[in-house]
């Protein structure tokens, strides 16, 4: 059975997120017949416009950003689902017009009064939207989707969540961290818990340290004023990286039920030690060349203050203080204008005394066994291990064994937003972040947000400041460098 009939009310309908992600995702869901049978999208934003202009914008968005090319016949059917109401968030009158329109769509299209309120606006607007909805409430048949970042620190996150809780029950709230919608991030649980080969070594006895890198060659893409107020710690570490860390390290959930998984993640986050200033290195890019193109210095980007000290790169050393992981450093780093797009987890194994005893004299390579999960752009898994080099005598070499998702399954996975929107429409909360996880993640980063440190310059197109090397255990290197 597909999701129930409903209307998605898209706040921020003329914004970047709607254009790049949400509208193309909806088009692909329509293509796969995964939308409710009776469904409509009513866009709401400050920009002037009407149904026709919204459909034109959506068409452009699909043409540019959809993973599938635009097909005219399908487009015509999809476009009929799109409506637009212009209005401000401060003005109750605008919301009055919105609700009238929603009632009319319900009447004409049989969408049954159910709503999915999707806040794709800058986060500063969320509290106003929730207040406006409260004025027209109650909303027993509604769900609300909130995009990250939820607040900019613990206090603002709490106050936002209090506002949301006054109108919606936690069951109705869907907080997006789009990394959870990525196929390869979901695979972390299968990889860990469906494979004794991995499950047996996934602890501090076997693992020396873990590196998680989210490298992006892109800069700010027109988001300068948002980013300059956020920085990499708020934009990536507090959410995507801590979510990936929790999936990598959580204990086995009681089942695959949504609350079982969220309980396991939440419990794990409770054991992550709040970051200490010595566990963080910040960087900011200067002029350089990325993927063959010149890139301006961060401070010369539109929307960025000329004297900005905001970090465009953050590397943190996180500690999970529990029996399984005590003493194992988790190095998490994210940066803009790095050499290439790649998201990778590498678990480096410890060497054993056997190696020392038997092979030291034979030229054993010092590179240890490792398991690397490539999350994007080419999802796959690589295991590095040692083998005897052919020939007389015993000479040990490190070799790689590689599994590629693309080659193994020959299907193109859905975009993260397709999966997440479909789940929100169906009311499945598994891949959404619970209130307590958001707050705990802010607690973890709070000590370093409160004490701003220097942002070391690094030229665009390099792997970040060398000061980050100091976070690694002695003698270890960044896997990607
Ligand atoms: C977003 C951040 O949440 O994630 C962006 O705000 C970042 O700054 C993006 O570029 C990265 O997502 P992805 O899916 O491209 O890895």
């Amino acid at each position: 059975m597909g999701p129930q009939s409903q209307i998605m009310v898209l706040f921020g309908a003329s914004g970047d997120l709607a254009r790049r992600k949400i509208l193309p995702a909806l088009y692909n869901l329509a293509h796969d017949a995964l939308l409710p049978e009776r469904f409509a999208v009513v866009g709401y934003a400050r920009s002037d416009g009407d149904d026709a202009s919204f459909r034109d914008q959506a068409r452009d968005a699909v043409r540019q950003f959809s993973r599938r090319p635009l097909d005219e016949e399908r487009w015509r059917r999809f476009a009929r689902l799109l409506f637009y109401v212009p209005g401000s968030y401060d003005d109750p009158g605008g919301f009055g017009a919105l609700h009238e329109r929603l009632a009319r769509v319900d009447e004409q299209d049989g969408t049954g009064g159910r709503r999915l309120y999707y806040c794709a606006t800058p986060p500063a607007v969320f509290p106003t939207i929730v207040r406006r909805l409260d004025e027209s409430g109650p909303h027993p048949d509604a769900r609300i989707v909130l995009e990250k970042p939820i607040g900019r620190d613990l206090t603002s996150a709490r106050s936002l969540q209090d506002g949301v809780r006054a109108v919606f029950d936690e069951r109705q709230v869907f907080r997006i961290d789009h990394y959870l919608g990525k196929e390869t991030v979901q695979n972390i649980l299968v990889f860990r818990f469906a494979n004794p080969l991995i499950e047996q070594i996934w602890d501090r006895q076997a693992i020396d340290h873990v590196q998680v890198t989210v490298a992006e060659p892109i800069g700010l893409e027109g988001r300068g004023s948002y980013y300059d107020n956020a920085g990499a710690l708020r934009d990536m570490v507090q959410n995507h990286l801590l979510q990936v860390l929790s999936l990598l390290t959580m204990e086995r959930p009681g089942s695959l039920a949504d609350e079982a998984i969220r309980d396991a993640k939440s419990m794990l986050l409770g054991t992550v030690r709040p970051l200490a200033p010595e566990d963080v290195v910040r960087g900011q890019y200067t002029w350089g060349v990325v993927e063959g193109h010149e890139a301006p210095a961060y401070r010369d980007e539109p929307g960025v203050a000329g004297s900005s000290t905001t970090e465009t790169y953050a590397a943190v050393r996180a500690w999970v203080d529990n029996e399984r992981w005590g003493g194992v450093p988790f190095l998490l780093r994210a940066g803009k204008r790095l050499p290439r797009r790649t998201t990778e987890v590498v678990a480096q194994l410890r060497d054993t005394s056997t190696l020392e005893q038997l092979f030291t004299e034979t030229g054993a390579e010092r590179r240890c066994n490792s398991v690397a999960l490539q999350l994007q752009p080419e999802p796959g898994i690589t295991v590095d291990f040692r083998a005897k080099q052919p020939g007389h005598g015993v000479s040990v070499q490190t070799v790689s064994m590689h599994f590629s998702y693309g080659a193994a399954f020959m299907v193109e996975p859905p975009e993260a937003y397709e999966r997440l929107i479909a789940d929100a429409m169906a009311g499945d909360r598994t891949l959404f972040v619970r209130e307590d996880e958001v707050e705990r993640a802010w607690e973890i980063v709070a000590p370093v947000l409160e004490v701003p440190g220097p942002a070391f310059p690094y030229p665009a197109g390099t792997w970040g400041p060398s000061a980050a090397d100091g976070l690694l255990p002695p003698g270890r290197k960044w896997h990607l460098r």
Side-chain angles (χ1 to χ4, degrees):
M1 206 182 68
Q4 284 186 307
S5 311
Q6 56 195 284
I7 300 179
M8 175 194 278
V9 182
L10 182 54
F11 296 114
S14 56
D16 210 45
L17 182 67
R19 202 164 64 86
R20 281 174 190 269
K21 299 287 184 190
I22 302 170
L23 291 163
L26 287 166
Y27 173 77
N28 281 290
L29 288 172
H31 186 287
D32 291 335
L34 290 172
L35 293 178
E37 207 179 304
R38 294 179 178 281
F39 177 70
V41 179
V42 176
Y44 185 88
R46 291 194 189 103
S47 324
D48 268 344
D50 55 17
D51 296 347
S53 62
F54 182 47
R55 289 172 187 179
D56 286 346
Q57 281 168 27
R59 186 186 157 91
D60 266 1
V62 170
R63 228 190 14 227
Q64 264 192 67
F65 298 110
S66 163
R67 72 184 164 92
R68 291 198 179 92
L70 186 135
D71 169 275
E72 287 301 335
E73 182 44 40
R74 285 181 203 278
W75 168 257
R76 265 193 297 279
R77 268 181 277 143
F78 176 69
R80 278 187 230 129
L81 307 175
L82 306 179
F83 305 94
Y84 186 73
V85 178
S88 101
Y89 298 99
D90 304 320
D91 168 25
F95 270 59
L98 171 65
H99 288 297
E100 268 171 39
R101 189 72 198 268
L102 294 174
R104 254 188 296 144
V105 175
D106 271 341
E107 216 173 279
Q108 282 160 15
D109 295 352
T111 34
R114 277 173 293 273
R115 309 281 182 256
L116 181 67
Y117 293 114
Y118 197 127
C119 299
T121 61
V125 187
F126 297 171
T128 319
I129 294 177
V130 173
R131 229 175 307 126
R132 290 282 95 85
L133 290 174
D134 192 18
E135 287 158 9
S136 60
H139 297 274
D141 263 345
R143 299 190 178 113
I144 184 164
V145 178
L146 299 174
E147 276 286 342
K148 66 143 270 254
I150 308 284
R152 53 173 285 108
D153 54 22
L154 182 59
T155 315
S156 54
R158 280 207 176 126
S159 112
L160 170 63
Q161 312 230 84
D162 288 348
V164 172
R165 207 179 313 107
V167 188
F168 298 96
D169 187 276
E170 177 66 20
R171 279 180 308 107
Q172 298 173 283
V173 184
F174 292 74
R175 295 175 196 81
I176 287 204
D177 179 311
H178 79 281
Y179 268 53
L180 296 181
K182 290 180 190 276
E183 193 72 27
T184 43
V185 172
Q186 291 163 44
N187 184 56
I188 293 174
L189 292 191
V190 178
F191 180 66
R192 284 189 55 198
F193 296 115
N195 294 302
L197 184 70
I198 299 304
E199 202 179 4
Q200 302 287 331
I201 60 157
W202 215 245
D203 59 21
R204 67 196 175 103
Q205 310 300 339
I207 291 182
D208 177 81
H209 75 278
V210 178
Q211 301 181 15
V212 184
T213 301
V214 181
E216 297 182 278
I218 57 169
L220 304 183
E221 312 253 283
R223 298 158 76 225
S225 51
Y226 151 74
Y227 195 89
D228 205 34
N229 272 307
L233 285 163
R234 288 190 172 88
D235 188 51
M236 298 295 290
V237 177
Q238 187 269 348
N239 33 78
H240 304 322
L241 280 168
L242 287 180
Q243 282 293 323
V244 170
L245 175 69
S246 66
L247 292 170
L248 285 171
T249 53
M250 70 188 222
E251 292 302 313
R252 193 180 70 184
S255 72
L256 292 180
D258 53 0
E259 288 312 319
I261 291 183
R262 302 200 312 173
D263 283 346
K265 280 198 293 163
S266 174
M267 204 177 294
L268 183 282
L269 287 170
T271 64
V272 176
R273 197 186 302 168
L275 298 172
E278 63 273 19
D279 284 326
V280 177
V281 171
R282 298 168 167 87
Q284 188 189 75
Y285 62 80
T286 55
W287 181 92
V289 176
V290 190
E291 295 183 323
H293 300 285
E294 284 191 32
Y298 175 70
R299 291 178 180 184
D300 294 332
E301 297 270 17
V304 171
S307 56
S308 172
T309 54
T310 300
E311 76 284 357
T312 58
Y313 169 100
V316 308
R317 180 170 48 203
W319 301 97
V320 179
D321 288 330
N322 64 14
E323 220 178 298
R324 181 190 288 272
W325 294 114
V328 177
F330 288 83
L331 290 314
L332 317 176
R333 58 179 182 159
K336 300 266 183 212
R337 295 289 193 213
L338 299 192
R340 61 173 190 274
R341 174 169 160 79
T342 179
T343 300
E344 187 182 81
V345 174
V346 183
Q348 176 100 51
L349 273 72
R350 293 182 195 286
D351 263 337
T352 59
S353 52
T354 315
L355 184 95
E356 297 293 335
Q357 287 156 14
L358 282 184
F359 298 114
T360 311
E361 296 308 311
T362 63
E365 258 199 44
R366 302 315 300 165
R367 188 144 64 96
C368 299
N369 287 181
S370 65
V371 180
L373 308 181
Q374 288 94 25
L375 305 184
Q376 53 189 22
E378 297 296 335
I381 296 172
T382 306
V383 178
D384 276 5
F385 59 101
R386 297 187 179 103
K388 178 182 176 303
Q389 193 176 339
H392 298 286
V394 181
S395 175
V396 178
Q397 281 278 325
T398 295
V399 293
S400 287
M401 199 162 63
H402 183 65
F403 152 79
S404 146
Y405 262 83
F409 294 113
M410 306 288 280
V411 287
E412 190 191 10
E415 281 274 329
Y417 273 88
E418 293 170 38
R419 173 69 197 262
L420 294 172
I421 291 171
D423 283 3
M425 289 190 305
D428 181 342
R429 293 181 303 253
T430 316
L431 302 179
F432 296 86
V433 183
R434 208 166 59 189
E435 187 177 24
D436 51 336
E437 294 176 69
V438 171
E439 293 188 3
R440 180 60 193 162
W442 280 120
E443 280 169 5
I444 293 168
V445 295
V448 297
L449 292 180
E450 283 156 14
V451 187
F456 297 101
Y458 63 96
T462 63
W463 285 101
S466 54
D469 299 355
L471 296 174
L472 292 161
R476 318 301 199 277
K477 292 190 172 126
W478 291 109
H479 198 248
L480 292 166
R481 57 178 192 276

